[in-house]
């Protein structure tokens, strides 16, 4: 779904940073070889993740949902020199492609891949985070949030993707459409939780920027 016209989207892209060559290659290879390439953040959202990470200048980043590593590399652009990024994905088949591109980037040694279910892996990370990107497994968004808030440094930022769910949050919800209910509940949780402040941005499929107080 386009929240703005394709012409405006084009204008927005033309007046934002260009996509780095390595990420253009990764996007191309993902589209050629991997199922569901639409999951990849892409040029515009990627530049948003990159500039936000540079503004925050995080020591530790956590990403839930690596896929082929596009957003991982965008987020890594803001890492401090000794910073680290932990990224989790449940799909073993993606590990080699992720590592290929991580190794081609300047952030190879800073990125740790975790294979498995995020709900099991997050509690094993003995780290406090400055920036978290939640982009996997919608049914567990609320659970991820509860696990992550105590693991955030004060002022840390949690980004949550797909929170407009192609605009379905506005429509009458079909009886068997659990995903929309889950996303709508998640958005209400972020809005009402006194531990955080949140702004929902209509970028791509919707991203919330949530600051932990
Ligand atoms: C939308 S894609 C991530 C896209 C990536 N962040 C990007 O922007 O390029 C979601 C990923 O989450 C992974 N995933 C799904 N369920 C998961 C779970 N329970 N734990 C960890 N990863 C999961 C999928 O294998 C998939 O690669």
């Amino acid at each position: 779904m386009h929240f703005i016209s394709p012409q405006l989207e084009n204008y927005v892209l033309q007046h934002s940073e260009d996509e780095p060559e390595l990420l253009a290659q990764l996007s191309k290879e993902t589209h050629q070889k991997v199922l569901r390439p639409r999951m990849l953040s892409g040029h515009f959202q990627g530049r948003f993740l990159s500039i936000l990470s540079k503004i925050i200048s995080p020591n530790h980043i956590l990403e839930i949902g690596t896929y082929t590593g596009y957003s991982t590399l965008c987020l890594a652009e803001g890492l401090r020199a000794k910073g680290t990024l932990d990224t989790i994905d449940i799909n073993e088949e993606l590990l080699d492609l992720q590592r290929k591109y991580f190794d081609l980037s300047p952030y190879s040694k800073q990125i740790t891949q975790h294979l498995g279910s995020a709900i099991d892996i997050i509690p094993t990370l003995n780290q406090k985070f400055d920036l978290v990107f939640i982009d996997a497994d919608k049914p567990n968004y609320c659970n991820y949030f509860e696990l992550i808030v105590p693991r955030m440094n004060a002022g840390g930022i949690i980004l949550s993707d797909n929170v407009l769910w192609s605009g379905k949050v506005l429509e009458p919800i079909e009886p068997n459409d659990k995903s929309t209910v889950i996303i709508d509940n998640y958005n209400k949780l972020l809005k009402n939780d006194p531990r955080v402040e949140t702004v929902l941005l209509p970028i791509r499929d919707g991203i919330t920027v949530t600051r932990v107080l």
Side-chain angles (χ1 to χ4, degrees), residues 38-42 45 49 63-72 88-91 94 98 116-119 133 135-138 140 144 161-162 204:
R38 258 199 58 194
M39 295 209 291
L40 175 145
S41 278
Q45 181 164 306
L49 295 175
E63 177 181 57
I64 303 173
T66 322
Y67 188 49
T68 55
Y70 189 100
S71 52
T72 319
I88 307 173
D89 205 289
I90 204 165
N91 186 349
L94 298 169
Q98 295 162 5
S117 168
I119 209 82
F133 183 39
D135 190 18
D137 180 28
K138 311 303 163 208
N140 270 312
Y144 294 148
D161 201 12
N162 306 109
R204 209 165 167 247

Side-chain angles (χ1 to χ4, degrees), residues 15-35:
H15 296 82
S16 299
E17 284 295 304
D18 291 337
E19 186 177 42
E21 183 51 38
L22 182 66
L23 291 176
Q25 273 176 38
L26 169 54
S27 176
K28 192 172 168 197
E29 190 165 350
T30 301
H31 280 81
Q32 285 168 344
K33 298 186 180 163
V34 187
L35 288 175

Side-chain angles (χ1 to χ4, degrees), residues 92-103:
E92 190 175 1
E93 290 173 11
L94 298 169
L95 278 176
D96 290 347
L97 185 58
Q98 295 162 5
R99 189 34 75 188
K100 171 180 163 186
Y101 280 88
F102 296 162
D103 286 347

